[in-house]
Amino acid sequence: MIFFPNAKINIGLRLMSIRKDGFHNIESIFFPINLFDVLEVIKAKSSQTEKIKIYYSGNTQLIPNDLCIKAYNLLDSDFNLPSVKVFLHKNIPIGSGLGGGSSNAVSMLKILNDLFKLNLNHEQLLNYCSKLGSDCSFFLFNKPSFVSGLGDVINSKINFSLKGYKLLL
């Protein structure tokens, strides 16, 4: 199964307060953009020793604590998933603030949900997203949204468009 996880930009990022955990509460508009990674997940042969084997290509200078692996491990702990092979082609620059890792992780949740017929609904997926990282919840909605908190409080019912504008990234 192949997905094309997209990037996002922050429009008007506002740092609000510092939290006890050292992170900031924010307010921003997150806007999905047409810059994509490529994520493929296939069921592995029973001879594979690891539960998840991931292969990288593209812009992969360093992928610490890959969120795709974290997403797999979260679902695996609840569903004892079969082994998988993952192919991740990185086009979204790592550490750029464009949400590539978060987008990949949410796509991983969706793929595993479909591939193994877990029947997780939107609310259940949102719960897993909150365990993965700050931007992950946005990518489950994946439309222009006002975000707050750590970036995990999503209001996708906004009227915001960049129609008529060109974006240079």
Side-chain angles (χ1 to χ4, degrees):
M1 191 170 287
I2 299 175
F3 270 53
F4 298 90
N6 62 282
K8 58 98 177 140
I9 56 172
N10 296 13
I11 298 175
L13 178 63
R14 181 176 174 197
L15 298 178
M16 302 303 289
S17 58
I18 298 178
R19 301 162 43 101
K20 289 181 182 177
D21 59 11
F23 289 98
H24 285 87
N25 286 311
I26 66 164
E27 288 183 347
S28 184
I29 293 176
F30 285 3
F31 195 89
I33 61 172
N34 290 328
L35 176 61
F36 301 91
D37 286 343
V38 181
L39 178 64
E40 180 179 19
V41 180
I42 58 174
K43 294 177 185 177
K45 295 182 178 167
S46 58
S47 61
Q48 180 174 307
T49 56
E50 305 97 349
K51 295 264 321 202
I52 179 171
K53 181 75 174 155
I54 191 162
Y55 302 90
Y56 301 102
S57 62
N59 181 16
T60 61
Q61 68 269 13
L62 176 64
I63 302 181
N65 304 315
D66 190 305
L67 289 177
C68 287
I69 295 171
K70 187 175 179 182
Y72 177 88
N73 289 337
L74 273 174
L75 291 180
D76 184 46
S77 67
D78 289 344
F79 295 97
N80 191 25
L81 300 176
S83 298
V84 295
K85 284 187 184 179
V86 178
F87 301 90
L88 177 59
H89 181 77
K90 290 294 296 170
N91 292 310
I92 302 169
I94 297 165
S96 61
L98 297 173
S102 297
S103 183
N104 293 336
V106 174
S107 291
M108 185 73 165
L109 290 176
K110 290 177 179 179
I111 288 172
L112 295 171
N113 190 35
D114 291 346
L115 190 63
F116 298 116
K117 298 177 181 23
L118 303 178
N119 299 316
L120 296 169
N121 64 33
H122 184 83
E123 291 303 314
Q124 291 168 311
L125 287 169
L126 197 55
N127 182 50
Y128 284 108
C129 287
S130 69
K131 294 175 183 178
L132 286 171
S134 300
D135 292 350
C136 291
S137 297
F138 164 75
F139 287 105
L140 192 58
F141 294 88
N142 209 23
K143 59 185 181 179
S145 302
F146 177 79
V147 300
S148 57
L150 287 171
D152 58 338
V153 180
I154 310 297
N155 177 359
S156 61
K157 295 179 178 153
I158 65 170
N159 185 13
F160 185 85
S161 172
L162 291 177
K163 187 176 181 179
Y165 291 91
K166 293 188 187 263
L167 179 65
L168 179 60
L169 190 60

